[in-house]
Amino acid sequence: MTTMQFQTIIEPFRIHSVEPLRMTTREERQQAVQKAGYNLFALHSDDVIIDLLTDSGTGAMSRDQWAAVQHGDESYAGSPSWFRFLEAVQDLFPFRHVIPTHQGRAAEKILFTAIGGPGKVVPNNTHFDTTRANVEFTGAEAVDLLVTEGHDPASRHPFKGNMDVAGLEALLRAHQGAVPVVFVTVTNNSGGGQPVSLANLRAVREVCHRFGVPLFLDACRFAENAWFIREREPGQGDREVRDIVREMASLVDGMTMSAKKDGLANIGGWLAMNDDNLAARCRTLLILTEGFPTYGGLAGRDLEAIAQGLSEVVQHDYLRYRIRSTAYLGDALTRLGVPTVQPTGGHAVYIDARAMLPHIAPLQYPGQSLAVALYETGGIRSCEIGTVMFGRHPDGSEHPADNDLVRLAIPRRTYTQSHIDYVVAVCGEVAKQAADLPGYRIVDEPPALRHFTARFEPIPAR
Ligand code: F0G
């Protein structure tokens, strides 16, 4: 008999070092969030009980990763830790050049500095916000080309992260010579953590090949994406995840990576590619801002932790637990009648706050209202992904975003099933009070990226 015959998901690890959670009262949390201007980014994290703000760099490292940290060799050039990192990356992603960076956005910054610029157009299934910002910072245009199902929170299409292949072909025809690279983000974070199929990657590859444009992966959650391929794509069910990852890599010409996600590390990233010329230009930029090419922005001990993390993240027991435990939260919220993006993605559950709080107009920020209520009620920190994040435009105007979502991102190997049961209970309590939750107004906001620092106040009920 195997544990897989039972409904209960057990964490495929036991706990060997614990971090205390500070329990707080509702009154304490109300004071803390008021002091923070109702912006959850401004909280002290020890005033948070369950922190679902992000899955980035917030996971638990394994015993073997902490042991690897002790092997960290801090030599400036040619450290053994670098060679261990390089071997682990190339085992999954056999690109000729691997350029280590301190996190994903540093890899993006270097790549787009090298190939972006005014008049250039960069397509992606959906740009993550730092990726878009790094493309636009060079003067290039960032275009999202997602399949239509990916825009519909209720659609249960198995690969809602897929790129719109016909749209890509039309774009490449219209902008011949102006597209330096095509990107596919796996999984599609901004679109709900939804996967991309191998069939879609192959089709995108074929179009890129025909137009002579390189294809790159934003590979942050590559292992979760490969697990979805194994589970959902016809003919893939018997494959090893590592082989699926290698096939994903074989279809593209390079990648950017944040090791804070599927590197199972707290910091790190890389840029990789086959093109010798491009790699030489990127290495020069790397030396300006990150460091020497055998450590990038990282300590030797970080390189070791990532190398070990890469061997753990493709293990089937880990991925089965990871994906099922995210779905466990999504399914429980669905049973409570809380509307979420369907089907549940890999790293997070996205609550549709606009559907849950229909009495709050989008410009009174239903996502912010829900996020504050989850914090006040149960000390849960989530992240608004909606009109607060995307509503203000460079010309100063403000419009509702496409959706008002609240993301509950699950740090890797960090919370147990009873923590998640508690999250479900808090969401149930908030759902009961939904009709009484207030809208918010912004009392102070910076000119750009306002969600990080804006201050809010509740709008009193009339
Ligand atoms: N690409 C994607 C798809 C991401 O989700 C992120 C980060 C990055 C690039 C940038 O990587 O943080 O290492 O610089 N996402 C985090 C999140 C911050 O909360 O979703 P980074």
Side-chain angles (χ1 to χ4, degrees), residues 91-109:
D91 180 49
L92 294 172
F93 303 99
F95 296 114
R96 247 199 322 273
H97 303 281
V98 177
I99 298 175
T101 58
H102 80 276
Q103 60 184 84
R105 66 198 71 183
E108 296 164 5
K109 167 83 177 149

Side-chain angles (χ1 to χ4, degrees), residues 290-327:
E290 293 281 295
F292 188 72
T294 64
Y295 70 86
L298 296 168
R301 52 182 169 269
D302 301 323
L303 295 168
E304 293 277 355
I306 296 167
Q308 177 60 28
L310 289 175
S311 74
E312 295 174 11
V313 77
V314 291
Q315 289 173 11
H316 291 194
D317 285 347
Y318 161 73
L319 284 167
R320 183 177 298 110
Y321 141 79
R322 169 73 176 158
I323 300 302
R324 278 195 62 197
S325 54
T326 307

Side-chain angles (χ1 to χ4, degrees), residues 28-365:
E28 286 169 334
R29 294 191 292 269
Q30 281 169 333
Q31 274 176 19
V33 76
Q34 184 181 21
K35 199 166 152 217
Y38 297 94
N39 187 329
L40 302 180
F41 283 99
L43 289 170
H44 290 226
S45 66
D46 53 6
D47 290 333
V48 174
I49 299 179
I50 307 280
D51 203 346
L52 307 183
L53 184 65
T54 178
D55 65 319
S56 179
T58 51
M61 293 214 296
S62 67
R63 170 192 67 189
D64 293 341
Q65 284 180 291
W66 284 110
V69 162
Q70 293 298 323
H71 289 268
D73 179 310
E74 305 303 340
S75 303
Y76 189 92
S79 150
S81 301
W82 154 250
F83 290 105
R84 189 161 128 78
F85 168 87
L86 180 64
E87 194 181 321
V89 171
Q90 287 180 329
D91 180 49
L92 294 172
F93 303 99
F95 296 114
R96 247 199 322 273
H97 303 281
V98 177
I99 298 175
T101 58
H102 80 276
Q103 60 184 84
R105 66 198 71 183
E108 296 164 5
K109 167 83 177 149
I110 289 170
L111 179 68
F112 293 120
T113 302
I115 63 175
K120 300 280 172 63
V121 180
V122 178
N124 198 319
N125 46 351
T126 311
H127 287 84
F128 178 66
D129 57 4
T130 62
T131 323
R132 171 174 288 276
N134 272 305
V135 169
E136 291 174 349
F137 189 72
T138 71
E141 188 188 347
V143 178
D144 292 340
L145 293 174
L146 188 63
V147 289
T148 45
E149 291 87 348
H151 293 289
D152 172 8
S155 159
R156 296 194 57 88
H157 188 281
F159 291 103
K160 284 169 77 175
N162 280 354
M163 185 170 243
D164 169 5
V165 180
L168 176 66
E169 184 158 357
L171 181 139
L172 290 174
R173 188 161 292 124
H175 296 278
Q176 297 218 21
V179 180
V181 66
V182 171
F183 254 86
V184 173
T185 303
V186 294
T187 58
N188 186 26
N189 182 11
S190 312
Q194 303 292 329
V196 175
S197 68
L198 277 177
N200 185 253
L201 260 187
R202 287 192 202 107
V204 169
R205 157 105 215 133
E206 190 278 319
V207 174
C208 290
H209 199 72
R210 230 177 324 122
F211 285 86
V213 175
L215 173 61
F216 271 52
L217 285 181
D218 176 342
C220 296
R221 299 175 180 86
F222 70 85
E224 292 171 6
N225 197 87
W227 181 261
F228 280 121
I229 287 173
R230 185 177 189 275
E231 293 269 285
R232 296 183 183 170
E233 192 157 353
Q236 303 297 322
D238 292 329
R239 290 181 76 185
E240 275 292 317
V241 161
R242 312 177 176 269
D243 291 338
I244 296 174
V245 173
R246 287 183 193 124
E247 181 170 352
M248 288 161 58
S250 75
L251 294 169
V252 300
D253 305 289
M255 68 189 292
T256 55
M257 175 69 191
S258 168
K260 301 173 75 168
K261 285 83 169 178
D262 278 351
L264 296 181
N266 302 122
I267 196 72
W270 67 85
L271 171 62
M273 65 198 73
N274 288 326
D275 182 327
D276 299 335
N277 275 329
L278 179 59
R281 283 157 60 210
C282 289
R283 282 208 180 88
T284 306
L285 292 166
L286 180 84
I287 294 172
L288 287 181
T289 59
E290 293 281 295
F292 188 72
T294 64
Y295 70 86
L298 296 168
R301 52 182 169 269
D302 301 323
L303 295 168
E304 293 277 355
I306 296 167
Q308 177 60 28
L310 289 175
S311 74
E312 295 174 11
V313 77
V314 291
Q315 289 173 11
H316 291 194
D317 285 347
Y318 161 73
L319 284 167
R320 183 177 298 110
Y321 141 79
R322 169 73 176 158
I323 300 302
R324 278 195 62 197
S325 54
T326 307
Y328 175 85
L329 173 57
D331 292 348
L333 294 185
T334 301
R335 281 196 298 277
L336 284 176
V338 173
T340 62
V341 174
Q342 297 294 319
T344 301
H347 67 296
V349 174
Y350 294 67
I351 301 178
D352 186 344
R354 196 178 289 174
M356 188 174 170
L357 307 177
H359 64 290
I360 302 179
L363 292 178
Q364 296 182 354
Y365 316 126

